[in-house]
Amino acid sequence: AQEAAQGMKELAAAGMKPDQVMKAIAGTLDLAAAGEMEVAAASEIVSNGLNMFGMSADKAGHFADVLAKAGALGSLSVQDMGNSLKYVGPVAAAAGWSLESVSGALVALSNNGIKGEQGGTVLRGVLTKLVAPSKEASKMMQGMGFSVVDSAGKMKSLSKIVDEFNAKSANMTESQRLAAVTTLVGTTNMAGFLALLKTGGAALDKYTNDLIGADGAAKAMAAIK
């Protein structure tokens, strides 16, 4: 009861009204149990995540399920997901990417040894470089016929960006491709982008769809634990 109250306090501190806290606490408790963490820490992850992606309090259960399912799909803990989203969530949400698609990308990175704060930082770096490419990168993209936005100027999904880059660079030598990746996202982020390219758009979409259908995952994991 003391832990639940502390969790409620954290949700309220994030700006939730009493009725919103009551809607959010059940999913938060499941997430804490599934992730074997303190309720207050789980509450912070939930409240921050809901705010990042503009989700209402009654979506707390789904948010918890997505994080729990992501941990099952990848080499991730709930805390890893919370740490990753802290860095990439606001930027990804501003680009129009959903919680599920971002989490799917973090799963892909984790399966290549990039997770936690590092995963969030790298994915944020990749996204930032794609949204605001350097002059050299812009020139290269134009030469490749590669764009990260559609005809309406809207950011494409990560899976489409990955598939298009793979297609446009298919005839390059390995060294040319590495040079193109470095030019596009920089040396700091290249390992992450290469991991996403290796994963491929189809696998990224599958992760996203699995996470969209994740409802009940946190409760099931909590029961098993």
Side-chain angles (χ1 to χ4, degrees):
Q2 222 170 13
E3 284 189 75
Q6 188 61 39
M8 290 178 177
K9 181 181 176 183
E10 291 294 333
L11 294 173
M16 287 190 188
K17 303 296 183 187
D19 62 325
Q20 293 176 313
V21 170
M22 295 307 293
K23 288 176 182 176
I25 194 63
T28 302
L29 291 171
D30 284 336
L31 185 65
E36 297 181 327
M37 61 198 304
E38 292 184 2
V39 178
S43 297
E44 186 179 353
I45 291 173
V46 169
S47 59
N48 288 343
L50 293 177
N51 286 333
M52 283 176 201
F53 290 94
M55 298 168 68
S56 58
D58 60 359
K59 297 295 183 183
H62 178 68
F63 181 87
D65 290 330
V66 169
L67 264 62
K69 183 73 171 180
L73 291 173
S75 175
L76 288 160
S77 67
V78 171
Q79 191 64 62
D80 285 334
M81 283 297 295
N83 288 339
S84 293
L85 289 174
K86 183 167 58 177
Y87 287 89
V88 71
V91 180
W97 288 358
S98 68
L99 166 67
E100 294 86 356
S101 64
V102 174
S103 298
L106 292 172
V107 167
L109 291 177
S110 77
N111 287 334
N112 286 273
I114 305 169
K115 57 186 176 181
E117 293 182 0
Q118 185 188 14
T121 303
V122 166
L123 189 56
R124 180 184 65 186
V126 167
L127 177 53
T128 302
K129 291 289 187 181
L130 292 175
V131 170
S134 64
K135 286 184 180 178
E136 187 182 2
S138 293
K139 185 178 179 181
M140 182 197 74
M141 290 165 71
Q142 192 171 9
M144 290 175 66
F146 167 70
S147 176
V148 300
V149 295
D150 60 22
S151 57
K154 185 180 176 182
M155 188 81 175
K156 293 176 183 174
S157 68
L158 181 59
S159 61
K160 283 187 178 178
I161 291 171
V162 162
D163 279 347
E164 285 186 25
F165 187 89
N166 278 335
K168 298 293 183 181
S169 62
N171 295 325
M172 293 181 178
T173 65
E174 195 166 315
S175 60
Q176 287 174 330
R177 193 166 186 266
L178 283 173
V181 169
T182 305
T183 300
L184 185 62
V185 299
T187 54
T188 305
N189 308 308
M190 68 180 296
F193 193 57
L194 285 169
L196 294 172
L197 292 175
K198 184 178 79 172
T199 301
L204 287 171
D205 281 339
K206 187 177 187 313
Y207 287 144
T208 299
N209 290 329
D210 285 346
L211 294 171
I212 289 171
D215 289 354
K219 193 173 188 66
M221 285 187 185
I224 292 167
K225 292 285 177 72

